[in-house]
Amino acid sequence: MEGYGIFIPIVLGIWAYISIIGTLTGLWWAEALISGAITGMLVGDFNLGLQIGATLTLMSLGMWTYGGATMPDFNTGAIIGTAIGALAGAGTNSLEVGLAVAIPTSILMTQLDILARASTTGFIHAADKHVEEGNIKGVTKMHLLGQLPWGLSRGLPVFLAVWLGAGPVQKVIDWMPEWFMGSMSLAGKMLPALGFALLLSQMDIKKYWPFLLIGYVLLGYVNMPIMGIALAGIAIAIVYTNLKGGVTNG
């Protein structure tokens, strides 16, 4: 198994850094599906990136950092999982290898997320002192520096994992027992269903069950692609809303 050299690990590390900072500023384009696709293009396996990114995106459905609580970092997991899975190369199930790395990575990143949050408070307390002194430039500087713990908590692990992937990470993958690889593959199939279940639990199914039934018929009997079902759902929602007298009466 050959590695990526230094360029791709640096680029992916920077992307991971930018992703978490963008998320903190309200730019929600840093998702597992997008990062998986971008990583796939960089490492030469776009299809693998889409598969891993889509799987992790489905896992994240219904999850959110309510009250500041941390959650698995599926975005970082998609980057590392895609890069390592692609390194496995031909003759192996790169998707299983990628998910076997991506899922534990996503969960492990919760610990680094907590560390980043704790480290950032030091800059905020420093900013408080500058506020007392009326030093606006100092406040601005502390807020800008406050991004470092967040960015490095993602960028550094991604850089090291992808850079060292050809050697140490592969040894870890080879060491993983078959039952573990099978468990990760099974989790990759079950967790998306859990994500959908969480979403359905928040919907008023008793009131809107006919729409759920229509979607099931289109998928199960008509074999309509997901994109087609989504477009049909949008059209039905628009017609339903108009018949109800507009958005305010929907």
Side-chain angles (χ1 to χ4, degrees):
M1 172 185 291
E2 297 184 6
Y4 295 116
I6 193 69
F7 176 72
I8 288 181
I10 290 177
V11 172
L12 292 178
I14 292 175
W15 172 254
Y17 189 110
I18 294 175
S19 293
I20 184 61
I21 300 303
T23 300
L24 293 173
T25 56
L27 299 175
W28 303 110
W29 40 259
E31 297 290 344
L33 180 59
I34 296 176
S35 290
I38 290 175
T39 303
M41 285 190 293
L42 284 173
V43 302
D45 198 335
F46 183 67
N47 185 55
L48 176 64
L50 285 178
Q51 288 180 301
I52 292 178
T55 300
L56 296 183
T57 296
L58 289 175
M59 291 182 186
S60 69
L61 294 178
M63 294 186 182
W64 194 247
T65 57
Y66 300 106
T70 189
M71 61 175 280
D73 187 351
F74 295 109
N75 183 71
T76 301
I79 297 173
I80 295 178
T82 300
I84 300 303
L87 276 179
T92 63
N93 191 330
S94 56
L95 178 58
E96 286 191 5
V97 170
L99 289 176
V101 173
I103 296 174
T105 296
S106 300
I107 298 173
L108 184 61
M109 287 303 299
T110 59
Q111 304 304 315
L112 289 180
D113 182 76
I114 295 173
L115 178 61
R117 291 170 185 261
S119 300
T120 303
T121 58
F123 294 99
I124 301 304
H125 288 311
D128 290 338
K129 293 182 179 180
H130 288 301
V131 170
E132 295 174 357
E133 299 170 356
N135 185 356
I136 303 301
K137 289 185 178 180
V139 174
T140 302
K141 181 180 179 181
M142 288 301 105
H143 278 284
L144 291 175
L145 289 176
Q147 68 170 310
L148 291 176
W150 288 96
L152 291 176
S153 69
R154 271 66 172 184
L156 194 56
V158 167
F159 168 76
L160 291 175
V162 177
W163 185 41
L164 299 175
V169 176
Q170 179 58 25
K171 290 181 179 179
V172 172
I173 293 174
D174 293 337
W175 170 81
M176 290 179 182
E178 186 175 344
W179 63 264
F180 179 78
M181 297 290 285
S183 298
M184 290 300 101
S185 177
L186 181 62
K189 297 175 181 178
M190 292 180 59
L191 287 177
L194 175 61
F196 276 113
L198 288 171
L199 285 180
L200 290 174
S201 68
Q202 301 299 317
M203 299 172 63
D204 192 354
I205 301 299
K206 292 182 179 179
K207 181 178 180 181
Y208 297 108
W209 66 265
F211 300 105
L212 181 64
L213 184 61
I214 291 173
Y216 175 77
V217 171
L218 292 176
L219 179 65
Y221 293 92
V222 183
N223 293 322
M224 180 180 290
I226 295 297
M227 183 59 71
I229 295 176
L231 293 175
I234 292 174
I236 292 173
I238 293 174
V239 173
Y240 177 82
T241 301
N242 289 334
L243 290 177
K244 294 288 288 185
V247 176
T248 56
N249 297 318

